[in-house]
Amino acid sequence: MSKEYIPYHVPFPTHHLGLEFVKEVLLSGKTAGNQIHSLACKKILLSNFHGEQKFLTTSCTSALEFSALLASVEPGDHVILPSYTFPSTANAFLLRGATLSFVDSMPNSPNMDLDAVEELISSKTKVLCVMHYAGISLDWEKIKALKATYNLTIIEDAAQCIDAYYVNNDIDYPLGSLGDFGALSFHETKNISCGEGGLLLVNNQEYIEKAEVMYEKGTNRASFLRQESAFYEWKSIGSSYTLSEINAAILHGQLLQKSEINKMRHAIWNSYNLAFENFSVPYVPVYAKHNAHIFYLQLASTSESVEFIEYMQKKGIQTLSHYRPLHSSSFFNDKHDGRILKNAQHFSDTLVRLPIHQEVNVNRVIETALDFFN
Ligand SMILES: *Cc1c(COP(=O)(O)O)cnc(C)c1O
């Protein structure tokens, strides 16, 4: 039996397509962005995301920063967001001078506790930023109710959510398409990747013109290219978010293999789910159709999870814990309002992710893990 090392993540190999497409881009000299492969990516993404305007970006981080600009977040504005997430979720708003309130996870899920949001809302609250951990949807009915009552702008950090859905009345709504804005990631570590890349979905029609200008470094270049104006000029604040055509070519190759990637990931996720049915594993509510981005076990304590990770590593299998809560980080701790967010801390202490990729020997991972517990 081969005992090769199993890393936590290996991107799906799409070199045959990617090399061809990248070569094409280099030979064409059209390397900047928004060329053939960017358009092809957007066309494929159309089947996931319908009428919304799509902007390919250099990362999910830049898509989140773009959304904060679009939402006109300004110094003094208040933003509510989960603690159990990646720093980019928070940086996007801190960069605009907002004050932040972090929300705890639920007891049975790393996802944010939407029932804890209302008591944090003040007249200064402008944005509720939500994050669907592991591509497992939050309860959209609750988000809708908060938006309607308090007139909040909803931004979805849907970094992990390509091909993940919120289900209501048998209709699948892609994550990232429900808020005013949704940000996705195509980072190397995500299900579909192009090294560094992202996507901003602008779902609220009100913002589309503004988004076009900000995306073009604050100019009306997009309308100029459509020959709607004779020249283009500086119209507003903006920045450079465009994904280079070289990355788009790689992304195009990946997107063409999307269904194979999904099938492979779900098969592994389902095997884990079955093998570990007596363990604490991801909770998937009826309204969530996930994308097998992450499978985790929750261990009894910090020390047990550290021992588990070390044991698996010794057996040649890389497993990983995940986020350190943002509210109690060394950077934010003294700015936090002091509320104790015990579930976020608990997931930080006890959650361990198992590898999901095409090179995983699933039975070996399962047997090794079960050996640890026995
Ligand atoms: C990966 C990730 C990001 C950052 O994505 P980049 O494309 O690397 O900028 C942000 N938020 C969450 C929840 C993520 O998982």
Side-chain angles (χ1 to χ4, degrees):
M1 193 169 75
S2 106
K3 284 284 180 196
E4 272 169 46
Y5 185 66
I6 302 177
Y8 175 74
H9 180 68
V10 177
F12 195 79
T14 52
H15 319 304
H16 52 300
L17 293 165
L19 278 173
E20 202 50 47
F21 291 163
V22 169
K23 189 170 147 197
E24 211 179 284
V25 171
L26 291 175
L27 290 172
S28 77
K30 301 274 184 200
T31 52
N34 284 320
Q35 310 286 338
I36 298 170
H37 292 288
S38 297
L39 298 178
C41 289
K42 290 210 234 177
K43 205 166 156 193
I44 297 169
L45 290 164
L46 242 184
S47 61
N48 284 59
F49 307 106
H50 305 285
E52 315 84 353
Q53 194 78 11
K54 292 170 271 312
F55 296 90
L56 288 171
T57 59
T58 50
S59 64
C60 177
T61 301
S62 67
L64 288 165
E65 291 177 20
F66 186 11
S67 73
L69 259 191
L70 281 166
S72 304
V73 175
E74 286 163 7
D77 287 340
H78 178 229
V79 173
I80 299 175
L81 72 170
S83 176
Y84 195 79
T85 184
F86 192 66
S88 295
T89 323
N91 278 329
F93 305 105
L94 264 195
L95 279 164
R96 310 251 46 87
T99 57
L100 309 182
S101 292
F102 288 103
V103 173
D104 203 1
S105 299
M106 292 184 278
N108 63 347
S109 163
N111 272 341
M112 75 192 285
D113 181 3
L114 291 166
D115 294 331
V117 170
E118 194 158 20
E119 65 197 33
L120 297 171
I121 294 175
S122 73
S123 58
K124 298 213 184 307
T125 309
K126 186 175 259 181
V127 169
L128 171 62
C129 182
V130 301
M131 191 277 273
H132 314 277
Y133 185 76
I136 298 173
S137 181
L138 291 168
D139 185 346
W140 206 265
E141 287 303 311
K142 288 187 180 172
I143 297 170
K144 253 182 15 200
L146 288 165
K147 179 176 173 66
T149 311
Y150 298 102
N151 191 28
L152 304 172
T153 301
I154 308 294
I155 299 179
E156 288 179 85
D157 180 341
Q160 306 173 2
C161 297
I162 184 82
D163 280 311
Y165 303 86
Y166 168 71
V167 185
N168 192 0
N169 283 328
D170 286 333
I171 301 172
D172 293 350
Y173 298 90
L175 299 184
S177 71
L178 290 156
D180 294 284
F181 310 106
L184 279 80
S185 175
F186 302 119
H187 185 266
E188 185 193 303
T189 51
K190 304 301 201 268
N191 290 14
I192 303 280
S193 64
C194 62
E196 304 276 355
L199 179 72
L200 184 74
L201 297 161
V202 177
N203 305 314
N204 182 337
Q205 299 295 319
E206 262 177 55
Y207 293 95
I208 292 198
E209 225 181 286
K210 194 173 170 188
E212 261 191 8
V213 169
M214 285 183 169
Y215 186 70
E216 288 288 1
K217 293 92 173 169
T219 75
N220 58 331
R221 182 165 173 267
S223 75
F224 167 76
L225 292 175
R226 287 195 300 267
Q227 302 185 327
E228 293 163 5
S229 25
F231 51 88
Y232 71 90
E233 61 178 340
W234 193 13
K235 290 282 187 190
S236 88
I237 185 172
S239 192
S240 176
Y241 300 118
T242 316
L243 185 71
S244 124
E245 192 63 10
I246 298 168
N247 288 80
I250 301 170
L251 183 60
H252 186 190
Q254 285 263 300
L255 287 170
L256 288 175
Q257 305 274 0
K258 199 152 68 77
S259 50
E260 282 87 342
I261 295 172
N262 280 332
K263 224 159 82 192
M264 174 274 294
R265 298 191 73 92
H266 278 286
I268 297 173
W269 198 100
N270 291 335
S271 301
Y272 286 155
N273 199 37
L274 199 65
F276 299 110
E277 62 183 355
N278 297 323
F279 290 76
S280 185
V281 297
Y283 167 67
V284 185
V286 284
Y287 52 77
K289 204 181 255 185
H290 70 92
N291 60 356
H293 179 57
I294 290 171
F295 187 91
Y296 63 79
L297 297 173
Q298 237 190 303
L299 283 86
S301 61
T302 312
S303 57
E304 195 187 41
S305 67
V306 170
E307 278 167 32
F308 178 81
I309 291 169
E310 280 173 6
Y311 179 84
M312 297 298 279
Q313 184 69 25
K314 253 191 249 141
K315 301 283 177 181
I317 299 166
Q318 187 182 28
T319 59
L320 297 171
S321 60
H322 214 174
Y323 303 125
R324 308 275 104 194
L326 298 183
H327 73 281
S328 56
S329 61
S330 56
F331 171 62
F332 200 83
N333 200 18
D334 61 351
K335 299 180 255 307
H336 177 61
D337 56 28
R339 281 170 302 118
I340 292 176
L341 309 181
K342 69 174 196 316
N343 298 328
Q345 186 59 48
H346 191 58
F347 281 104
S348 175
D349 290 341
T350 60
L351 181 155
V352 180
R353 296 172 289 160
L354 304 185
I356 300 182
H357 54 82
Q358 57 289 345
E359 291 169 22
V360 170
N361 177 335
V362 184
N363 290 333
R364 194 180 129 203
V365 177
I366 292 171
E367 282 161 21
T368 312
L370 291 175
D371 282 347
F372 172 83
F373 293 109
N374 295 329

